[in-house]
């Protein structure tokens, strides 16, 4: 043991408990967003046979007390399906250590089904659960070799092995681990190291009160610390208190005192690296949940709405609502997580997650690597979780965050927020998130008043043939022979002009023209399209051509972008849509649209447009591979560009509609943003862009009318256009229709307690409002 570790042990064992608790809380609170987590799980006791005979255990039993040595595949799947139906994300496989080493009946049962070892059957069942239910297996199978862990990687998102203790004394006759060969500390440490070498996120922990000495508890924590320092694989450490159980050899053994238990929890937070979570089981401590929080824990472990805790069947799971209330009072909102922790998923390092299981994890994940908070996704016909009165949905009362309050005060004064400050706002939950939304709406009133605006327009997507292969795009087709949901097309000039005339006849003040990057289109093509519309409808505002199309047009004519923009303006172009921005971070663009404009190129085109007097909108496409820090960088890039050239009229968040997106169908993307993330995007954009871009628009095509209405009380002031013939979102699978009537938009505004007014593309007043759209 290192010399400084001896001093640390002395400090942890002899300092006042209150001192340790204060330090543990401070370390926990400095780790990141204020929250507590838990994993909604279903407990699958694959076998209760075990090669060991731990003197405190009631889980392990003998063959004569079981109907069969193992659960059948049908039984496993029945439990898993019930868990999935109840909203679980994790399938916890718990079982005794290698029972085939001890029981012939276990060996025979496995052999009859083609398995030589229990772990092989575990892998088979985990694969079926993953494939047939979508639950993420977490495997607690005892001591395993490195090859076993590697074998589990494609079917298990994480594994678990309790260290329990490093005390060799517990193996002596009469002690807790006597007769249990798998409880030799060195074997367990080596197995945990093997999991690290195999790059499997791992849960471990210690058991308090089974005969170990106080200093041995700290030594066990130090051993886990050293394992993580070497391999980086420990996602959490459980500090579990022993509870004597009738019918065991330790039924009369004393429990650790509450003070000793709390001391070890605080010590765990102090000893372990900050990225390792500290967990304590709530079902064994339901009378002291607040005290556990005060000791620095940040996680409650798995909680099942379906199955009991088979290891501690006498201790029922607490109600999640009860936990949420306790956490809210402590200022730590409760959030669902996955069995794999966020830092192993929401990271540029992909080595911790096998490609075979990554799609299942992404389907359940939000942008931070936590669990999705509802079944809602953009474009689906699901009720939205929020309302106009409560955009985020119900939130428990609790203390706010001084850091969030300070950031909001700076933003209200017009200060440019930093990346970390904006990221903090995005990751706020509970009372902190509500404060962000309320602040955003107050800034909306200050900047734009109470009136909700909209424009009567028509989308004309003149071709869906595109040379680019953006991984999120279900609209474009690579050639006239390709196709998936829609057939390739290329409208002629007369058809484009006719659609413009139809739009004007129906009261439109704007046509929005965009299309794929057709291999035969040149800069002259775009000019011809523009002239066709202006010749047919001279007074119609033409809002056309993404920065990518402008760049393409200029390149084909061999002229600078700014000169080409002047030609477009002279031909009648009124403004540009700020699409093709996606995420203004080149590390993400390289993954989702590698052949599109870079961030600098996109900003250069819109900057040139502003310089020649062509206003543009600005957008973000979010909910796929990016993280909150990317959102923050995107907003800052827009704010700084606006400070230079001043031509952005609005900001439009565009949540990914995932259903037909190619990268989602390949298992390479999330399912769009969660509802909370969608609300926070609109709210944080209002705050981060305050004093810079005045209008924040919400997309009813992506969010639905009810969703868009809720955003009106989360910082938004504009509902966009009626969008006759919107086709890009529909191609991606959106179910919210291709156009809306003004009456529907008015009802949405009224549901938020706000008046509605028609506007022009550039936010001017319309003399005679249209009722025809």
């Amino acid at each position: 043991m290192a010399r400084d570790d001896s001093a640390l042990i002395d400090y942890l064992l002899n300092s006042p408990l209150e001192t340790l608790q204060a330090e543990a809380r401070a370390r926990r609170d400095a780790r990141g967003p204020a929250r507590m987590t838990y994993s909604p799980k279903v407990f699958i006791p694959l076998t209760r046979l075990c090669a060991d005979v731990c003197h405190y255990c009631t889980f392990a039993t003998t063959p004569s007390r079981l109907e069969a040595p193992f659960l059948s595949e049908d039984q496993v799947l029945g439990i898993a399906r019930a868990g999935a139906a109840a909203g679980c994300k994790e399938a916890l496989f718990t079982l005794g250590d290698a029972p085939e080493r001890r029981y012939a009946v276990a060996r025979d049962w496995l052999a009859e089904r083609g398995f030589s070892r229990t772990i092989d059957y575990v892998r088979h069942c985990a694969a079926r659960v993953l494939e047939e239910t979508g639950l993420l297996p977490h495997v607690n199978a005892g001591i395993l070799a490195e090859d076993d862990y590697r074998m589990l990687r494609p079917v298990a998102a994480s594994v678990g092995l309790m260290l329990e203790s490093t005390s060799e004394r517990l193996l002596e006759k009469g002690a807790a681990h006597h007769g249990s060969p798998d409880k030799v500390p060195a074997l367990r440490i080596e197995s945990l190291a093997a999991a690290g070498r195999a790059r499997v996120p791992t849960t471990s922990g210690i058991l308090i009160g089974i005969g170990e000495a106080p200093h041995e508890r700290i030594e066990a924590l130090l051993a886990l610390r050293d394992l993580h320092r070497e391999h980086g694989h420990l996602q959490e450490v459980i500090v579990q208190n022993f509870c004597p159980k009738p019918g065991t050899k330790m039924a009369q053994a004393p429990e650790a005192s509450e003070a000793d238990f709390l001391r070890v929890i605080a010590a765990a937070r102090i000893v372990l690296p900050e990225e390792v979570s500290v967990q304590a089981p709530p079902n064994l401590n339901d009378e002291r949940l607040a005290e556990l929080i005060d000791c620095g824990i940040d996680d409650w472990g798995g909680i099942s709405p379906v199955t009991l805790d088979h290891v501690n069947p006498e201790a029922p799971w607490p109600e999640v609502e009860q936990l949420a209330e306790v956490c809210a009072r402590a200022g730590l909102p409760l959030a669902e997580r996955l069995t794999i922790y966020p830092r192993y998923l929401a990271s540029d390092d992909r080595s911790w997650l096998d490609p075979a299981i990554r799609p299942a994890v992404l389907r359940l994940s939000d942008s931070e690597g936590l669990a999705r908070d509802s079944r809602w996704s953009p474009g689906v016909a699901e009720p939205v979780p929020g309302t106009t009165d409560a955009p985020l949905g119900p939130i428990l009362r609790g203390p706010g965050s001084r850091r969030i309050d300070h950031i909001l005060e700076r933003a209200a004064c017009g200060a440019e927020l930093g990346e970390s400050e904006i990221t903090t706002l995005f990751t706020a939950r509970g009372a902190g998130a509500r404060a962000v939304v309320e602040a955003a709406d107050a800034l909306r009133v200050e900047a734009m008043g109470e009136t909700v605006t909209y424009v009567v327009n028509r989308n004309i997507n003149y071709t869906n043939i595109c040379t680019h292969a953006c991984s999120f795009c279900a609209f474009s087709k690579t050639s006239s022979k390709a196709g998936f949901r829609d057939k390739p097309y290329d409208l002629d000039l007369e058809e484009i002009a006719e659609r413009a005339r139809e739009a004007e006849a129906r009261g439109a003040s704007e046509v929005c023209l965009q299309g794929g990057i057709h291999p035969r289109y040149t800069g002259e093509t775009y000019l011809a399209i523009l002239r066709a519309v202006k010749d047919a409808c001279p007074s119609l505002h033409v809002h056309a051509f993404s920065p990518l199309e402008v760049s393409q047009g200029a390149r084909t004519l061999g002229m600078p972008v700014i000169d080409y923009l002047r030609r477009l303006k002279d031909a009648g172009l009124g403004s540009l849509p700020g699409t093709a921005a996606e995420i203004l971070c080149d590390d993400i663009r390289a993954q989702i649209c590698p052949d599109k404009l870079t961030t600098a190129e996109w900003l250069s085109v819109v900057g040139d447009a502003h310089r020649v007097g062509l206003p543009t909108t600005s957008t973000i496409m979010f909910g796929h591979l990016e993280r909150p820090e990317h959102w923050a960088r995107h907003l800052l890039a827009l704010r700084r560009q606006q400070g230079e050239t001043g031509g952005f009229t609005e900001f439009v968040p565009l949540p990914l509609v995932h259903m037909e997106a190619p990268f989602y169908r390949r298992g390479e993307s999330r399912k769009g943003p969660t509802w909370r993330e969608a609300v926070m995007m609109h709210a944080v954009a209002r705050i981060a862009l305050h004093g810079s871009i005045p209008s924040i628009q919400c997309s009813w095509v992506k969010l639905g009318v009810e969703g868009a209405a809720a955003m009106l009380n989360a910082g938004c002031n504009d509902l966009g256009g009626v969008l006759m013939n919107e086709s890009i979102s529909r191609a991606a699978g959106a179910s919210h229709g291709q156009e809306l009537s003004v009456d529907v938009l008015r009802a949405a505004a009224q549901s938020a307690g706000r008046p509605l007014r028609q506007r022009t593309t550039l936010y001017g007043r319309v003399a005679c409002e249209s009722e025809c759209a």
Side-chain angles (χ1 to χ4, degrees):
M1 185 184 304
R3 185 173 174 182
D4 54 349
D5 283 346
S6 297
L8 178 59
I9 291 173
D10 181 69
Y11 168 72
L12 294 172
L13 294 181
N14 296 305
S15 296
L17 177 58
E18 295 78 8
T19 299
L20 300 183
Q21 289 175 310
E23 180 177 348
R25 285 195 303 274
R27 288 175 178 260
R28 189 249 339 264
D29 295 345
R31 295 176 71 233
R35 65 178 61 132
M36 294 285 295
T37 55
Y38 79 102
S39 174
K41 73 176 180 184
V42 64
F43 203 127
I44 301 176
L46 192 64
T47 179
R48 293 181 59 197
L49 300 181
C50 185
D52 298 315
V53 288
C54 300
H55 295 183
Y56 46 77
C57 181
T58 58
F59 177 74
T61 188
T62 58
S64 62
R65 297 184 178 181
L66 298 173
E67 291 184 7
F70 295 85
L71 294 182
S72 69
E73 292 180 49
D74 286 344
Q75 288 174 309
V76 168
L77 289 171
I79 296 170
R81 289 185 181 116
C88 296
K89 276 84 172 177
E90 171 188 346
L92 170 62
F93 282 82
T94 293
L95 54 147
D97 278 68
E100 68 274 17
R101 297 201 326 250
R102 182 176 181 186
Y103 297 109
V105 66
R107 292 192 296 273
D108 294 343
W109 191 97
L110 291 169
E112 287 171 6
R113 290 155 181 83
F115 302 103
S116 60
R117 302 180 304 158
T118 295
I119 192 59
D120 300 321
Y121 183 52
V122 171
R123 189 198 187 283
H124 177 77
C125 289
R128 290 203 62 187
V129 166
L130 177 66
E131 179 180 357
E132 298 185 33
T133 72
L135 295 183
L136 303 178
H138 172 86
V139 174
N140 286 351
I143 287 183
L144 299 176
E146 184 175 338
D147 286 347
D148 297 325
Y149 288 119
R150 294 189 183 279
M151 179 183 70
L152 290 173
R153 274 176 53 93
V155 300
S158 58
V159 299
L161 176 65
M162 292 287 283
L163 174 59
E164 296 195 10
S165 177
T166 53
S167 174
E168 298 280 351
R169 296 182 303 99
L170 300 183
L171 298 167
E172 296 173 0
K173 188 173 182 179
H177 289 155
H178 180 67
S180 300
D182 297 297
K183 294 304 172 78
V184 174
L187 291 179
R188 299 185 84 75
I189 289 173
E190 167 51 29
S191 185
L192 286 167
R197 293 192 297 270
R199 306 289 282 178
V200 182
T202 303
T203 293
S204 191
I206 62 175
L207 189 55
I208 302 304
I210 56 173
E212 77 290 345
H215 73 276
E216 291 171 329
R217 298 165 181 166
I218 310 302
E219 289 168 357
L221 292 173
L222 292 170
L224 292 172
R225 177 203 65 185
D226 293 344
L227 278 166
H228 183 76
R229 283 179 175 175
E230 183 174 359
H231 301 289
H233 66 311
L234 292 185
Q235 48 183 15
E236 63 185 345
V237 167
I238 305 167
V239 181
Q240 182 170 331
N241 48 314
F242 159 73
C243 297
K245 297 175 174 59
T248 66
K249 291 184 178 181
M250 294 182 67
Q252 303 304 315
E255 299 182 42
S257 69
E258 179 173 285
D260 283 351
F261 179 48
L262 297 180
R263 179 177 292 273
V264 179
I265 294 174
R269 181 64 282 154
I270 294 168
V271 166
L272 294 167
E274 69 170 22
E275 68 269 17
V276 178
S277 285
V278 176
Q279 178 194 124
N283 59 319
L284 302 183
N285 300 281
D286 61 350
E287 77 287 354
R288 53 189 175 201
L289 298 175
E291 288 82 355
L292 300 184
I293 293 175
D294 280 343
C295 289
I297 69 167
D298 60 278
D299 187 78
W300 296 113
I303 298 174
S304 178
V306 177
T307 52
L308 52 78
D309 179 352
H310 289 275
V311 176
N312 299 284
E314 78 286 356
W317 303 112
E319 294 291 333
V320 171
E321 292 77 9
Q322 175 196 1
L323 273 184
E325 290 176 0
V326 172
C327 294
R329 288 196 295 270
L332 298 168
L334 185 64
E336 291 186 18
R337 63 166 172 83
L338 304 177
T339 182
I340 180 172
Y341 267 66
R343 72 176 180 277
Y344 297 106
L345 173 61
S347 165
D348 294 331
D349 181 358
R350 294 196 168 195
S351 66
W352 292 100
L353 193 59
D354 192 272
I357 199 172
R358 177 174 288 274
V361 176
L362 289 175
R363 281 194 293 270
L364 297 175
S365 171
D366 72 5
S367 64
E368 297 177 75
L370 293 170
R372 297 186 70 86
D373 54 13
S374 71
R375 296 182 185 274
W376 181 89
S377 287
V380 302
E382 286 275 343
V384 298
T387 65
T388 54
D389 291 333
L392 288 164
I395 291 180
L396 295 171
R397 291 289 172 184
S401 162
R402 281 181 291 181
R403 172 162 168 73
I404 288 176
D405 290 344
H406 175 67
I407 295 171
L408 295 177
E409 288 170 4
R410 278 180 25 80
C413 294
E416 179 181 296
L417 301 180
E419 179 184 322
S420 65
E421 291 177 304
I422 298 173
T423 302
T424 294
L425 298 183
F426 274 127
T427 56
R429 294 178 186 248
R434 182 172 55 212
V436 171
V437 170
E438 290 173 351
D441 214 44
L443 292 179
R444 183 267 305 166
V445 174
E446 178 183 327
M448 301 298 289
E450 293 291 353
T451 300
V452 176
T453 52
Y454 73 99
V455 64
V456 178
N457 62 353
R458 181 173 193 171
N459 269 19
I460 303 177
N461 302 122
Y462 35 78
T463 184
N464 64 352
I465 298 172
C466 187
T467 58
H468 291 261
C470 300
S471 61
F472 53 84
C473 183
F475 170 73
S476 70
K477 306 295 173 280
T478 57
S479 76
S480 59
K481 297 180 180 179
F484 180 69
R485 179 170 174 146
D486 296 308
K487 295 299 181 183
Y489 68 84
D490 182 16
L491 302 182
D492 59 37
L493 294 179
E494 179 52 40
E495 176 65 19
I496 295 170
E498 179 58 29
R499 294 189 184 194
R501 283 190 285 265
E502 290 174 358
E504 190 173 54
R506 294 180 62 185
S509 61
E510 168 199 310
V511 286
C512 178
L513 304 171
Q514 293 185 94
I517 304 300
H518 196 295
R520 293 196 303 271
Y521 278 24
T522 69
E524 293 296 342
T525 308
Y526 298 117
L527 285 164
I529 291 172
L530 182 56
R531 293 188 188 107
V533 172
K534 294 303 289 186
D535 288 346
C537 306
S539 63
L540 199 60
H541 182 100
V542 180
H543 180 68
F545 312 135
S546 72
L548 181 60
E549 291 173 287
V550 170
S551 177
Q552 162 83 352
R555 183 184 61 79
T556 60
L557 297 182
M559 65 171 54
V561 166
I562 196 165
D563 291 342
Y564 183 58
L565 285 164
R566 290 191 179 102
R567 288 191 64 185
L568 291 170
K569 184 182 179 185
D570 290 344
L573 183 62
S575 58
L576 274 70
T579 50
E582 323 313 353
I583 290 289
L584 295 176
C585 298
D586 287 335
D587 57 331
I588 300 298
R589 298 180 76 81
Q591 299 175 67
I592 66 172
C593 52
D595 52 354
K596 259 188 177 174
L597 301 177
T598 65
T599 295
E601 289 168 341
W602 188 92
L603 291 169
S604 177
V605 174
V606 296
D608 282 346
H610 300 167
R611 291 181 185 97
V612 303
L614 286 170
T616 74
T617 62
S618 59
T619 63
I620 186 172
M621 194 271 290
F622 66 111
H624 39 93
L625 299 180
E626 83 299 347
R627 302 186 295 272
E629 60 264 35
H630 296 108
W631 302 341
R633 292 169 201 161
H634 186 106
L635 293 179
L636 284 172
L638 294 179
R639 184 182 178 101
R640 289 164 186 169
Q641 184 64 52
Q642 183 77 332
E644 291 180 20
T645 55
F648 289 131
T649 57
E650 64 194 34
F651 175 68
V652 190
L654 300 173
L656 172 73
V657 176
H658 71 279
M659 289 77 82
E660 302 293 348
F663 63 174
Y664 177 76
R665 294 174 64 85
R666 294 194 300 264
E668 299 170 355
S669 166
R670 302 193 301 274
K671 297 170 67 175
T674 66
W675 175 254
R676 186 193 69 83
E677 290 168 341
V679 174
M680 296 303 283
M681 175 59 74
H682 292 79
V684 175
R686 168 62 68 191
I687 294 165
L689 299 176
H690 180 58
S692 175
I693 300 177
S695 180
I696 307 295
Q697 183 186 120
C698 49
S699 171
W700 58 262
V701 176
K702 316 283 188 182
L703 300 168
V705 176
E706 290 183 356
M711 299 301 172
L712 294 177
N713 285 340
C716 290
N717 60 283
D718 189 77
L719 286 170
V722 296
L723 294 179
M724 309 170 201
N725 301 112
E726 195 285 330
S727 56
I728 294 176
S729 296
R730 185 185 62 81
S735 60
H736 298 308
Q738 289 182 265
E739 64 180 87
L740 284 184
S741 70
V742 174
D743 285 342
V744 173
L745 294 179
R746 182 174 291 109
Q750 288 174 344
S751 72
R754 310 258 292 283
L756 183 73
R757 175 175 59 80
Q758 186 180 344
R759 63 168 172 85
T760 66
T761 303
L762 303 181
Y763 286 81
R765 286 186 171 273
V766 174
C768 182
E769 295 199 14
S770 171
E771 297 293 339
C772 301

